Amino acid sequence: MDSTRFPDDLVQTQHAWNATYQALAAPRPRDNTVLRRRLLRLSVRLWWHPYWNTATSVSAARTRLRQSVRAQESARVV
């Protein structure tokens, strides 16, 4: 288990980003423009979150965040 503890708001933002990306990737998404704008807003929030100022290796931490959130999402589905 990864010992990295990410802030709750950062994890929630990554969950929202994943959900928005999935909605946008669906065939013929409704509200395409709204989804694209939401994805951009969420991307900015993720990129500029203050947590990254404290991370030792930002690129590795970003990867761990994405992997951790995907694992949580797949655990919910099962």
Side-chain angles (χ1 to χ4, degrees):
M1 189 65 159
D2 187 12
S3 62
T4 304
R5 176 82 174 118
F6 294 105
D8 289 337
D9 65 324
L10 185 59
V11 172
Q12 291 171 355
T13 303
Q14 185 66 54
H15 276 294
W17 190 95
N18 290 355
T20 305
Y21 186 87
Q22 288 298 320
L24 194 55
R28 294 186 176 177
R30 295 189 65 213
D31 302 324
N32 190 14
T33 302
V34 172
L35 289 171
R36 288 175 56 201
R37 287 179 181 160
R38 178 171 167 75
L39 192 64
L40 181 58
R41 266 195 325 274
L42 291 168
S43 295
V44 168
R45 273 199 222 157
L46 285 170
W47 186 263
W48 294 108
H49 193 279
Y51 172 79
W52 306 125
N53 293 331
T54 64
T56 307
S57 173
V58 176
S59 60
R62 288 182 199 276
T63 301
R64 282 194 305 275
L65 172 66
R66 286 191 300 270
Q67 290 171 344
S68 172
V69 169
R70 281 190 205 126
Q72 289 174 9
E73 290 171 350
S74 64
R76 285 185 199 165
V77 171
V78 173

